[in-house]
Amino acid sequence: MASNPALLATEAADYLVRKGIPFRQAHDIIGKVLREAEKQNISWTALPLDTLKKISPAFEADFSKSLGVDAALAAKKVPGGTAPESVSDAITNLERTSQ
């Protein structure tokens, strides 16, 4: 299921990358987030912001909004990406070349 929080771990790391953290470090931070959630026996997406900030000050109030499936798809604004604009462009290009 696409809404499974475990599938959004890479999106969480990408969020930190957009905040200026190198991906390798972001991956490590998300690992700490997952371990903390496991310790508390809750979904990692349910951890409160103050807990996340103890793991990394890069987490901000907009973090939870970046974890939805729609946000994950929209974040890929590159040719061939999953953002609605990218998909529309690909369809337009395909229609143009098919005529």
Coordinates of all heavy atoms in Angstrom, one line a residue:
M1 N 0.8 -1.2 0.0 CA 0.0 0.0 0.0 C 0.9 1.2 0.0 O 1.8 1.4 0.8 CB -0.9 0.0 1.2 CG -1.7 1.2 1.4 SD -2.8 1.1 2.9 CE -4.3 1.2 2.1
A2 N 0.6 2.2 -0.9 CA 1.4 3.4 -1.1 C 1.4 4.3 0.2 O 2.3 5.1 0.3 CB 1.0 4.1 -2.3
S3 N 0.5 4.2 1.0 CA 0.4 5.1 2.2 C 1.1 4.5 3.4 O 1.2 5.1 4.4 CB -1.0 5.4 2.5 OG -1.7 4.2 2.9
N4 N 1.8 3.3 3.2 CA 2.5 2.7 4.3 C 3.7 3.7 4.7 O 4.5 4.0 3.9 CB 3.0 1.4 3.9 CG 3.8 0.6 5.0 OD1 4.4 1.2 5.9 ND2 3.7 -0.7 4.9
P5 N 3.8 4.1 6.0 CA 4.8 5.0 6.4 C 6.2 4.5 6.1 O 7.1 5.3 5.8 CB 4.6 5.2 7.9 CG 3.2 4.8 8.1 CD 2.9 3.8 7.1
A6 N 6.4 3.2 6.1 CA 7.8 2.6 5.9 C 8.2 3.0 4.5 O 9.4 3.1 4.2 CB 7.7 1.1 6.1
L7 N 7.3 3.1 3.5 CA 7.7 3.4 2.2 C 8.1 4.9 2.0 O 8.6 5.3 1.0 CB 6.5 3.1 1.2 CG 6.1 1.7 1.2 CD1 4.8 1.5 0.3 CD2 7.2 0.8 0.7
L8 N 7.9 5.7 3.0 CA 8.2 7.1 2.9 C 9.5 7.5 3.6 O 9.8 8.7 3.7 CB 7.0 8.0 3.5 CG 5.7 7.8 2.7 CD1 4.6 8.5 3.5 CD2 5.8 8.4 1.3
A9 N 10.2 6.5 4.0 CA 11.5 6.8 4.7 C 12.5 7.6 3.8 O 13.2 8.5 4.3 CB 12.1 5.5 5.3
T10 N 12.5 7.2 2.5 CA 13.4 7.9 1.6 C 12.9 9.3 1.4 O 13.8 10.3 1.3 CB 13.5 7.2 0.3 OG1 14.0 5.9 0.5 CG2 14.4 7.9 -0.7
E11 N 11.6 9.5 1.4 CA 11.1 10.9 1.3 C 11.5 11.7 2.5 O 11.8 12.9 2.4 CB 9.6 10.9 1.2 CG 9.1 10.3 -0.1 CD 9.7 10.9 -1.3 OE1 9.8 12.1 -1.4 OE2 10.1 10.1 -2.2
A12 N 11.5 11.1 3.7 CA 12.0 11.8 4.9 C 13.5 12.2 4.8 O 13.8 13.3 5.1 CB 11.8 10.9 6.1
A13 N 14.3 11.3 4.3 CA 15.7 11.6 4.0 C 15.8 12.7 3.0 O 16.6 13.7 3.2 CB 16.5 10.4 3.6
D14 N 15.0 12.7 2.0 CA 15.0 13.7 0.9 C 14.6 15.1 1.5 O 15.2 16.1 1.2 CB 14.1 13.4 -0.2 CG 14.7 12.3 -1.1 OD1 15.9 12.0 -1.0 OD2 13.9 11.8 -1.9
Y15 N 13.7 15.1 2.5 CA 13.3 16.3 3.2 C 14.6 16.9 3.8 O 14.8 18.1 3.7 CB 12.2 16.0 4.2 CG 12.0 17.1 5.2 CD1 11.1 18.1 4.9 CD2 12.7 17.2 6.4 CE1 10.8 19.1 5.8 CE2 12.4 18.2 7.3 CZ 11.5 19.2 7.0 OH 11.3 20.2 7.9
L16 N 15.3 16.1 4.5 CA 16.5 16.6 5.2 C 17.6 17.1 4.2 O 18.3 18.1 4.5 CB 17.1 15.5 6.1 CG 16.2 15.1 7.3 CD1 16.8 13.9 8.1 CD2 16.1 16.3 8.3
V17 N 17.7 16.4 3.1 CA 18.6 16.8 2.0 C 18.2 18.2 1.6 O 19.1 19.1 1.4 CB 18.6 15.8 0.9 CG1 19.4 16.4 -0.3 CG2 19.3 14.5 1.3
R18 N 16.9 18.5 1.4 CA 16.4 19.8 1.0 C 16.8 20.8 2.0 O 16.8 22.0 1.7 CB 14.9 19.8 0.6 CG 14.6 19.0 -0.6 CD 13.2 19.2 -1.1 NE 12.2 18.7 -0.1 CZ 11.8 17.4 -0.1 NH1 12.2 16.5 -0.9 NH2 10.9 17.1 0.8
K19 N 17.0 20.4 3.3 CA 17.4 21.3 4.3 C 18.9 21.5 4.4 O 19.4 22.2 5.3 CB 16.9 20.8 5.7 CG 15.4 20.7 5.8 CD 14.7 22.0 5.8 CE 13.2 21.9 6.0 NZ 12.5 23.1 6.0
G20 N 19.6 20.9 3.5 CA 21.1 21.1 3.4 C 21.9 20.0 4.0 O 23.1 20.1 4.1
I21 N 21.3 18.9 4.4 CA 22.0 17.8 5.0 C 22.4 16.8 3.9 O 21.6 16.4 3.1 CB 21.2 17.1 6.1 CG1 20.9 18.1 7.2 CG2 21.8 15.8 6.6 CD1 20.0 17.6 8.3
P22 N 23.7 16.4 3.9 CA 24.1 15.4 2.9 C 23.2 14.1 3.1 O 22.9 13.7 4.2 CB 25.5 15.1 3.2 CG 26.0 16.3 4.0 CD 24.8 16.8 4.7
F23 N 23.0 13.4 1.9 CA 22.1 12.3 2.0 C 22.5 11.2 3.0 O 21.7 10.6 3.7 CB 21.9 11.7 0.6 CG 20.9 10.5 0.6 CD1 19.5 10.8 0.6 CD2 21.3 9.2 0.7 CE1 18.6 9.8 0.6 CE2 20.3 8.2 0.8 CZ 19.0 8.5 0.7
R24 N 23.8 10.9 3.0 CA 24.3 9.9 3.9 C 24.0 10.2 5.4 O 23.6 9.4 6.1 CB 25.8 9.8 3.7 CG 26.4 8.6 4.5 CD 27.9 8.4 4.2 NE 28.4 7.4 5.0 CZ 29.6 6.8 4.9 NH1 30.4 7.3 3.9 NH2 30.0 5.9 5.7
Q25 N 24.2 11.5 5.7 CA 23.8 11.9 7.1 C 22.3 11.8 7.3 O 21.8 11.4 8.4 CB 24.3 13.3 7.4 CG 25.8 13.4 7.6 CD 26.2 14.8 7.9 OE1 26.1 15.7 7.0 NE2 26.6 15.1 9.1
A26 N 21.5 12.3 6.3 CA 20.1 12.2 6.4 C 19.6 10.8 6.6 O 18.7 10.6 7.4 CB 19.5 12.8 5.1
H27 N 20.2 9.9 5.9 CA 19.8 8.5 6.0 C 20.1 8.0 7.4 O 19.2 7.3 8.0 CB 20.6 7.6 5.0 CG 20.3 6.2 5.0 ND1 20.9 5.3 5.8 CD2 19.4 5.5 4.2 CE1 20.4 4.1 5.5 NE2 19.5 4.2 4.6
D28 N 21.2 8.4 8.0 CA 21.5 8.0 9.4 C 20.5 8.6 10.3 O 20.1 7.9 11.3 CB 22.9 8.5 9.7 CG 23.4 8.1 11.1 OD1 23.3 6.8 11.4 OD2 23.7 8.9 11.9
I29 N 20.1 9.9 10.1 CA 19.2 10.5 11.0 C 17.8 9.8 11.0 O 17.2 9.6 12.0 CB 19.0 12.0 10.6 CG1 20.3 12.8 11.0 CG2 17.8 12.7 11.3 CD1 20.4 14.2 10.4
I30 N 17.4 9.5 9.8 CA 16.1 8.8 9.6 C 16.2 7.4 10.3 O 15.2 7.0 11.0 CB 15.7 8.7 8.2 CG1 15.4 10.1 7.6 CG2 14.4 7.8 8.0 CD1 14.5 11.0 8.4
G31 N 17.3 6.8 10.3 CA 17.5 5.5 11.0 C 17.3 5.7 12.5 O 16.6 4.9 13.2
K32 N 17.8 6.8 13.0 CA 17.6 7.2 14.5 C 16.1 7.5 14.8 O 15.6 7.1 15.8 CB 18.5 8.4 14.8 CG 19.9 8.1 14.8 CD 20.8 9.3 15.1 CE 22.2 9.0 15.0 NZ 23.1 10.2 15.2
V33 N 15.5 8.1 13.8 CA 14.0 8.4 14.0 C 13.3 7.1 14.1 O 12.4 6.9 14.9 CB 13.5 9.3 12.8 CG1 12.0 9.3 12.8 CG2 14.1 10.7 12.9
L34 N 13.6 6.2 13.2 CA 12.9 4.9 13.1 C 13.1 4.1 14.4 O 12.2 3.5 15.0 CB 13.3 4.0 11.9 CG 13.0 4.6 10.6 CD1 13.6 3.8 9.5 CD2 11.5 4.7 10.4
R35 N 14.4 4.1 14.9 CA 14.7 3.4 16.2 C 14.0 4.0 17.4 O 13.5 3.3 18.2 CB 16.2 3.4 16.4 CG 16.9 2.4 15.5 CD 18.4 2.2 15.8 NE 19.2 3.3 15.6 CZ 19.6 3.7 14.4 NH1 19.3 3.0 13.3 NH2 20.4 4.8 14.2
E36 N 13.9 5.4 17.4 CA 13.2 6.0 18.5 C 11.7 5.7 18.5 O 11.1 5.4 19.5 CB 13.3 7.5 18.4 CG 12.6 8.3 19.4 CD 13.1 8.0 20.9 OE1 14.2 7.6 21.1 OE2 12.2 8.1 21.8
A37 N 11.1 5.6 17.3 CA 9.7 5.3 17.2 C 9.5 3.8 17.6 O 8.5 3.5 18.3 CB 9.2 5.4 15.7
E38 N 10.4 2.9 17.2 CA 10.3 1.5 17.7 C 10.4 1.4 19.2 O 9.6 0.7 19.8 CB 11.4 0.7 17.0 CG 11.3 -0.8 17.2 CD 12.3 -1.5 16.5 OE1 12.7 -1.1 15.3 OE2 12.8 -2.6 17.0
K39 N 11.3 2.2 19.8 CA 11.4 2.2 21.2 C 10.1 2.7 21.9 O 9.7 2.1 22.9 CB 12.5 3.2 21.6 CG 13.5 2.6 22.6 CD 14.7 3.5 23.0 CE 14.7 4.9 22.6 NZ 15.9 5.6 23.1
Q40 N 9.4 3.6 21.3 CA 8.2 4.2 21.9 C 7.0 3.4 21.4 O 5.8 3.6 21.8 CB 8.0 5.6 21.4 CG 9.0 6.6 22.1 CD 8.7 8.0 21.8 OE1 7.5 8.4 21.6 NE2 9.7 8.8 21.7
N41 N 7.2 2.4 20.5 CA 6.1 1.5 20.0 C 5.0 2.3 19.3 O 3.8 2.1 19.5 CB 5.5 0.6 21.1 CG 4.8 -0.5 20.6 OD1 5.1 -1.0 19.5 ND2 3.8 -1.0 21.3
I42 N 5.5 3.3 18.5 CA 4.5 4.1 17.7 C 5.1 4.2 16.2 O 6.3 3.9 16.0 CB 4.3 5.5 18.2 CG1 5.6 6.3 18.3 CG2 3.7 5.4 19.6 CD1 5.4 7.8 18.7
S43 N 4.3 4.6 15.3 CA 4.7 4.9 14.0 C 5.7 6.0 14.0 O 5.5 7.0 14.7 CB 3.5 5.2 13.1 OG 4.0 5.6 11.8
W44 N 6.7 5.9 13.2 CA 7.7 7.0 13.2 C 7.1 8.3 12.7 O 7.6 9.4 13.0 CB 8.9 6.7 12.4 CG 8.7 6.5 10.9 CD1 8.3 5.3 10.3 CD2 8.9 7.4 9.9 NE1 8.2 5.5 8.9 CE2 8.6 6.8 8.7 CE3 9.3 8.8 9.9 CZ2 8.6 7.5 7.4 CZ3 9.3 9.5 8.7 CH2 9.0 8.8 7.5
T45 N 6.0 8.2 11.9 CA 5.4 9.4 11.4 C 4.6 10.1 12.5 O 4.1 11.2 12.3 CB 4.5 9.1 10.2 OG1 3.5 8.2 10.5 CG2 5.3 8.6 9.0
A46 N 4.4 9.4 13.6 CA 3.6 10.0 14.7 C 4.5 10.6 15.8 O 4.0 11.2 16.8 CB 2.7 8.9 15.3
L47 N 5.8 10.6 15.6 CA 6.7 11.2 16.6 C 6.5 12.7 16.6 O 6.4 13.4 15.5 CB 8.1 10.9 16.3 CG 8.6 9.5 16.5 CD1 10.0 9.3 16.0 CD2 8.6 9.2 18.0
P48 N 6.3 13.3 17.8 CA 6.1 14.7 17.9 C 7.4 15.5 17.4 O 8.5 15.0 17.5 CB 5.9 15.0 19.3 CG 6.2 13.8 20.1 CD 6.3 12.7 19.1
L49 N 7.2 16.7 16.9 CA 8.2 17.6 16.4 C 9.4 17.8 17.5 O 10.5 17.7 17.1 CB 7.7 18.9 16.0 CG 8.7 19.9 15.3 CD1 9.4 19.3 14.1 CD2 8.0 21.2 15.0
D50 N 9.0 17.9 18.7 CA 10.1 18.1 19.7 C 11.0 16.9 19.8 O 12.2 17.0 20.0 CB 9.5 18.5 21.1 CG 8.6 17.5 21.7 OD1 7.9 16.8 21.0 OD2 8.6 17.4 23.0
T51 N 10.4 15.7 19.7 CA 11.3 14.5 19.7 C 12.2 14.5 18.4 O 13.3 14.2 18.5 CB 10.4 13.2 19.7 OG1 9.6 13.3 20.9 CG2 11.2 12.0 19.7
L52 N 11.6 14.8 17.3 CA 12.4 14.9 16.0 C 13.5 15.9 16.1 O 14.6 15.6 15.7 CB 11.5 15.2 14.8 CG 10.4 14.2 14.5 CD1 9.5 14.7 13.5 CD2 11.1 12.9 14.0
K53 N 13.2 17.0 16.7 CA 14.2 18.1 16.8 C 15.4 17.7 17.8 O 16.5 18.1 17.6 CB 13.6 19.4 17.3 CG 12.9 20.1 16.2 CD 12.5 21.5 16.7 CE 12.3 22.5 15.6 NZ 13.4 22.7 14.7
K54 N 15.1 16.8 18.7 CA 16.2 16.2 19.6 C 17.1 15.3 18.8 O 18.3 15.3 19.0 CB 15.6 15.4 20.7 CG 14.9 16.3 21.8 CD 14.3 15.5 22.9 CE 13.5 16.4 23.8 NZ 12.7 15.6 24.7
I55 N 16.6 14.7 17.7 CA 17.4 13.9 16.9 C 18.2 14.7 15.9 O 19.3 14.5 15.6 CB 16.5 12.8 16.2 CG1 15.9 11.9 17.2 CG2 17.3 12.0 15.1 CD1 14.8 11.0 16.7
S56 N 17.5 15.7 15.3 CA 18.1 16.7 14.4 C 17.4 18.0 14.4 O 16.1 18.0 14.2 CB 18.1 16.2 13.0 OG 18.6 17.2 12.1
P57 N 18.1 19.1 14.6 CA 17.4 20.4 14.6 C 16.9 20.8 13.2 O 16.2 21.8 13.1 CB 18.5 21.4 15.1 CG 19.8 20.7 14.8 CD 19.5 19.2 14.9
A58 N 17.2 20.0 12.2 CA 16.8 20.4 10.8 C 15.3 20.1 10.6 O 14.7 20.7 9.7 CB 17.5 19.6 9.8
F59 N 14.7 19.3 11.5 CA 13.2 19.0 11.4 C 12.5 20.3 11.7 O 12.8 21.0 12.7 CB 12.8 17.9 12.3 CG 13.3 16.5 11.8 CD1 14.2 15.9 12.5 CD2 12.7 16.0 10.7 CE1 14.7 14.6 12.1 CE2 13.1 14.7 10.3 CZ 14.1 14.0 11.0
E60 N 11.5 20.6 10.9 CA 10.7 21.8 11.2 C 9.2 21.4 11.0 O 8.9 20.3 10.7 CB 11.0 22.9 10.2 CG 12.4 23.4 10.3 CD 12.8 24.5 9.3 OE1 11.9 25.0 8.6 OE2 14.0 24.7 9.2
A61 N 8.3 22.3 11.3 CA 6.9 22.0 11.3 C 6.4 21.5 10.0 O 5.4 20.8 10.0 CB 6.1 23.3 11.7
D62 N 7.1 21.8 8.9 CA 6.6 21.4 7.6 C 6.9 19.9 7.3 O 6.5 19.4 6.3 CB 7.1 22.3 6.5 CG 8.7 22.2 6.4 OD1 9.3 21.7 7.3 OD2 9.2 22.7 5.4
F63 N 7.7 19.2 8.2 CA 8.1 17.9 8.0 C 6.9 16.9 7.7 O 6.9 16.2 6.7 CB 8.9 17.4 9.1 CG 9.3 15.9 9.0 CD1 10.2 15.5 8.0 CD2 8.9 15.0 9.9 CE1 10.5 14.2 7.8 CE2 9.3 13.6 9.8 CZ 10.1 13.3 8.7
S64 N 5.9 16.9 8.5 CA 4.8 16.0 8.4 C 4.1 16.2 7.0 O 3.6 15.2 6.5 CB 3.9 16.1 9.6 OG 3.3 17.3 9.6
K65 N 4.0 17.4 6.5 CA 3.4 17.6 5.3 C 4.2 17.0 4.1 O 3.6 16.8 3.0 CB 3.2 19.1 5.0 CG 2.2 19.8 6.0 CD 2.1 21.3 5.8 CE 1.3 21.9 6.9 NZ 1.7 23.3 7.1
S66 N 5.5 16.8 4.3 CA 6.3 16.3 3.2 C 6.2 14.8 3.1 O 6.8 14.2 2.2 CB 7.7 16.7 3.4 OG 8.3 16.0 4.5
L67 N 5.4 14.1 4.0 CA 5.4 12.7 4.0 C 4.2 12.0 3.3 O 4.2 10.8 3.3 CB 5.5 12.2 5.5 CG 6.8 12.6 6.2 CD1 6.7 12.0 7.6 CD2 8.0 12.0 5.5
G68 N 3.3 12.8 2.8 CA 2.2 12.2 2.2 C 2.5 11.7 0.8 O 3.5 12.1 0.2
V69 N 1.8 10.8 0.3 CA 2.0 10.2 -1.1 C 2.0 11.3 -2.1 O 2.9 11.4 -3.0 CB 1.0 9.1 -1.4 CG1 1.2 8.7 -2.8 CG2 1.2 8.0 -0.4
D70 N 1.0 12.2 -2.0 CA 0.9 13.3 -3.0 C 2.2 14.2 -2.9 O 2.7 14.6 -4.0 CB -0.3 14.2 -2.8 CG -1.6 13.4 -3.1 OD1 -1.5 12.5 -3.9 OD2 -2.7 13.8 -2.6
A71 N 2.7 14.5 -1.7 CA 3.9 15.4 -1.6 C 5.1 14.6 -2.1 O 5.9 15.2 -2.8 CB 4.1 15.7 -0.2
A72 N 5.1 13.3 -1.9 CA 6.3 12.5 -2.4 C 6.3 12.5 -3.9 O 7.3 12.7 -4.6 CB 6.2 11.1 -1.9
L73 N 5.1 12.4 -4.6 CA 5.1 12.4 -6.0 C 5.4 13.8 -6.6 O 6.1 13.9 -7.5 CB 3.7 12.0 -6.5 CG 3.3 10.5 -6.2 CD1 1.8 10.3 -6.6 CD2 4.2 9.5 -6.9
A74 N 4.8 14.8 -5.9 CA 5.0 16.2 -6.4 C 6.5 16.6 -6.3 O 6.9 17.5 -7.0 CB 4.1 17.1 -5.7
A75 N 7.2 16.0 -5.4 CA 8.6 16.5 -5.1 C 9.5 16.1 -6.3 O 10.6 16.6 -6.4 CB 9.1 15.8 -3.8
K76 N 9.1 15.2 -7.1 CA 10.0 14.7 -8.2 C 9.7 15.5 -9.5 O 9.2 15.0 -10.5 CB 9.8 13.2 -8.5 CG 9.9 12.4 -7.2 CD 11.2 12.5 -6.6 CE 11.4 11.5 -5.4 NZ 10.9 11.9 -4.2
K77 N 10.1 16.8 -9.4 CA 9.9 17.7 -10.6 C 11.1 17.7 -11.5 O 11.8 18.7 -11.6 CB 9.6 19.1 -10.1 CG 8.3 19.3 -9.3 CD 8.1 20.7 -8.8 CE 6.8 20.8 -8.0 NZ 6.7 22.1 -7.4
V78 N 11.3 16.6 -12.2 CA 12.4 16.4 -13.1 C 11.8 15.7 -14.3 O 10.8 15.1 -14.3 CB 13.5 15.6 -12.5 CG1 14.2 16.3 -11.4 CG2 13.1 14.2 -12.1
P79 N 12.4 15.9 -15.5 CA 12.0 15.1 -16.7 C 11.9 13.6 -16.3 O 12.8 13.0 -15.8 CB 13.0 15.4 -17.7 CG 13.6 16.7 -17.3 CD 13.6 16.7 -15.8
G80 N 10.7 13.0 -16.6 CA 10.5 11.6 -16.3 C 10.1 11.4 -14.9 O 9.9 10.2 -14.5
G81 N 10.0 12.5 -14.1 CA 9.6 12.3 -12.7 C 8.1 12.1 -12.5 O 7.3 12.1 -13.4
T82 N 7.7 12.0 -11.2 CA 6.3 11.7 -10.9 C 5.5 12.9 -10.6 O 4.3 12.8 -10.3 CB 6.3 10.8 -9.7 OG1 7.0 11.4 -8.6 CG2 6.9 9.4 -10.0
A83 N 6.1 14.1 -10.5 CA 5.3 15.3 -10.3 C 4.3 15.5 -11.4 O 4.5 15.2 -12.5 CB 6.2 16.6 -10.2
P84 N 3.1 16.0 -11.0 CA 2.0 16.1 -12.0 C 2.5 16.9 -13.3 O 2.1 16.5 -14.4 CB 0.9 16.9 -11.3 CG 1.1 16.5 -9.8 CD 2.6 16.3 -9.7
E85 N 3.3 17.9 -13.1 CA 3.8 18.7 -14.2 C 4.7 17.9 -15.1 O 4.6 17.9 -16.3 CB 4.6 20.0 -13.7 CG 3.8 20.9 -12.9 CD 3.8 20.5 -11.4 OE1 4.7 19.8 -11.0 OE2 2.9 21.0 -10.7
S86 N 5.5 17.0 -14.5 CA 6.4 16.2 -15.3 C 5.6 15.1 -16.0 O 5.9 14.9 -17.2 CB 7.4 15.5 -14.3 OG 8.2 16.4 -13.7
V87 N 4.6 14.6 -15.4 CA 3.8 13.6 -16.1 C 3.0 14.2 -17.3 O 3.0 13.7 -18.4 CB 2.8 12.9 -15.1 CG1 1.8 12.0 -15.8 CG2 3.6 12.1 -14.0
S88 N 2.5 15.4 -17.0 CA 1.8 16.1 -18.1 C 2.7 16.4 -19.3 O 2.3 16.3 -20.4 CB 1.2 17.5 -17.6 OG 0.1 17.2 -16.7
D89 N 3.9 16.9 -18.9 CA 4.9 17.2 -20.0 C 5.2 15.9 -20.8 O 5.3 15.9 -22.0 CB 6.2 17.7 -19.4 CG 6.0 19.2 -18.9 OD1 5.0 19.8 -19.2 OD2 6.9 19.6 -18.1
A90 N 5.4 14.8 -20.1 CA 5.7 13.5 -20.8 C 4.6 13.1 -21.7 O 4.8 12.6 -22.8 CB 6.0 12.4 -19.7
I91 N 3.3 13.3 -21.2 CA 2.2 12.9 -22.1 C 2.1 13.8 -23.3 O 1.9 13.4 -24.4 CB 0.9 13.0 -21.2 CG1 0.8 11.9 -20.2 CG2 -0.4 13.0 -22.1 CD1 -0.3 12.1 -19.2
T92 N 2.3 15.1 -23.1 CA 2.3 16.1 -24.2 C 3.4 15.7 -25.2 O 3.1 15.7 -26.4 CB 2.5 17.5 -23.7 OG1 1.5 17.8 -22.8 CG2 2.6 18.5 -24.8
N93 N 4.6 15.4 -24.7 CA 5.7 15.0 -25.6 C 5.4 13.7 -26.4 O 5.6 13.6 -27.6 CB 7.0 14.9 -24.9 CG 7.6 16.2 -24.4 OD1 7.3 17.2 -25.0 ND2 8.4 16.2 -23.4
L94 N 4.8 12.8 -25.7 CA 4.4 11.5 -26.3 C 3.3 11.7 -27.4 O 3.4 11.2 -28.5 CB 3.9 10.5 -25.3 CG 3.4 9.2 -25.8 CD1 4.6 8.4 -26.4 CD2 2.8 8.4 -24.7
E95 N 2.3 12.6 -27.1 CA 1.3 12.9 -28.1 C 1.9 13.6 -29.3 O 1.5 13.3 -30.4 CB 0.2 13.7 -27.4 CG -0.7 12.9 -26.4 CD -1.6 13.8 -25.6 OE1 -1.4 15.0 -25.6 OE2 -2.5 13.2 -25.0
R96 N 2.8 14.5 -29.1 CA 3.4 15.2 -30.2 C 4.2 14.3 -31.1 O 4.2 14.4 -32.3 CB 4.4 16.3 -29.6 CG 4.0 17.7 -30.1 CD 5.0 18.7 -29.6 NE 4.8 18.8 -28.1 CZ 5.6 19.3 -27.3 NH1 6.8 19.8 -27.7 NH2 5.4 19.3 -26.0
T97 N 4.9 13.3 -30.5 CA 5.8 12.4 -31.3 C 5.0 11.3 -31.9 O 5.4 10.7 -32.9 CB 6.9 11.8 -30.4 OG1 6.3 11.1 -29.4 CG2 7.9 12.9 -29.9
S98 N 3.8 11.1 -31.4 CA 2.9 10.0 -32.0 C 2.1 10.5 -33.2 O 1.5 9.6 -33.8 CB 2.0 9.5 -30.9 OG 2.7 8.9 -29.8
Q99 N 2.1 11.7 -33.4 CA 1.2 12.3 -34.5 C 1.8 12.2 -35.8 O 2.9 12.2 -36.2 CB 0.7 13.7 -34.2 CG -0.1 13.7 -33.0 CD -0.5 15.1 -32.6 OE1 -0.1 16.1 -33.2 NE2 -1.3 15.2 -31.5

